[in-house]
Amino acid sequence: MQKQLILALILMVSSVDVAQVLYKYKQKTTHDLIVEHGYPAEHYKIETEDGNMLAAFRIPFSHKLQNQNTKRPIVLLQHGLLSSSDVWVVSGPNDSLAFLLSDAGFDVWIGNNRGNEYSKELKKPSWNFSFHEIGYYDLAALIDFALKTSGQEQKSLHYVGHSQGTTVYFTLMSLRPEYNAKIKTAHMLAPVAIMKNIHNECITCAANLIPVNGWMARYFSHKEFGKIIGSRSFSLCFDKECKNVLEKLSSEHSNKTALIESAKISQTGSWKQIFHFLFNYKSGNFQQFDYDTVRNLEVYKAEKPPKYPIEKITSEVHLWYIDNDELVPVDDVIALADRLPKKVLHHIEHPLWAHSDYYLHNEIRKYLNEPIIKIMRQYELDTK
Ligand SMILES: *[C@@H]1O[C@H](CO)[C@@H](O)[C@H](O)[C@H]1NC(C)=O
Ligand SMILES: *[C@@H]1O[C@H](CO)[C@@H](O)[C@H](O)[C@H]1NC(C)=O
Ligand SMILES: *[C@@H]1O[C@H](CO)[C@@H](O)[C@H](O)[C@H]1NC(C)=O
């Protein structure tokens, strides 16, 4: 109990808007990183059905190919938790997926979810959201907007998500299955849905400290999670366990220049996102947010939150995973795959590859990005 009180105090301090201050020191935006390499860049504001604003970037064509007047299949890229559109461009044109896709002839859209720095600039959200709202509303809005705005009369697109960018896909496609028809191929990098077997000490420790249904979750669920103080509060609390948590998310093969570039943005999000993941880890289920019995009855008309109906995801889902991702254990990926109707498993054959290496690894091009592009191209050839 005493530990919980200390945690609560630190969480209160974390709600201070540090992120906003730090944002001013970030030098380059996704737009800058695209333009810097000679590619054309566009910046959009997108409104969601529930009144939030999202920022999206686009590389409409490749300046190398000069293919602005030919048909370019649309692809949408979506970042992970406490992250941003930067991740798809930080390793530069020889490695980062956005550039490689552009040079392969695709119309590349890069999303941001509500509340991250790019979207927050447009409109500060109520912090009462988790990956559920990001999937249900934000991802739907991004897909519809990209299809409508590309002006190429395409009815469907390719999708790539990293980490929470996969969770939001599973959320949208299971709860609004009509969206599956808008997907050509979907690539889940480090798929996060079932989280039963995580062995990252920081997560297991935090999950043990924060009770499901507790007053802490109720109080903090409507607050912002600031990056620096937020993660520091975790490390203050769980010093021993969490010291290396960030280091463990990258590996000795991570591109350090890109790592620094991607860390410059002061990532932010909501505490509810963090709690939702922790609760799902504790329950072992991929399910909606667990309030308390009374609130659950009001919101869901049931004492327990409903599980996401993964079985309704009929789109072609490619699951990309590794052996030693602390946040995405192989057993959980297999359990998820067992329930997906149409899936292809891709085990990345590299011994040293960590959670953030899906955009930072110095061999992402060979192990990940070229194989993904090959699958998308094959799809385009087969459906011509
Ligand atoms: C670009 O990537 C390829 C494949 O990973 C590599 O062989 C080549 O050396 C890289 N070129 C530069 C300029 O970094
Ligand atoms: C938070 O969102 C949930 C789900 O949309 C809603 O039921 C609840 O009333 C909201 N809580 C507050 C305090 O706005
Ligand atoms: C590392 O990232 C930088 C940009 O941040 C890029 O210029 C460089 O080519 C990348 N190197 C490798 C080996 O991926």
Side-chain angles (χ1 to χ4, degrees), residues 28 33 36-37 89-96 253-262 359-365:
K28 290 178 193 161
L33 290 167
E36 176 173 279
H37 297 294
V89 291
V90 278
S91 292
N94 197 40
D95 299 283
S96 274
H253 287 276
S254 301
N255 179 337
K256 298 297 178 294
T257 324
L259 175 64
I260 291 163
E261 192 58 51
S262 66
Y359 56 89
L360 291 179
H361 201 280
N362 53 21
E363 289 188 279
I364 30 174
R365 179 172 172 162

Side-chain angles (χ1 to χ4, degrees), residues 167 170 191-198 280-281 284-287 310 327-329 331-339:
T167 321
F170 298 127
V192 178
I194 296 162
M195 310 171 64
K196 221 175 190 156
N197 297 295
I198 291 185
N280 277 2
Y281 160 69
N285 293 326
F286 181 43
Q287 63 186 20
I310 302 173
L327 301 183
V328 185
D331 289 349
D332 289 344
V333 177
I334 304 296
L336 168 67
D338 282 346
R339 290 177 55 194

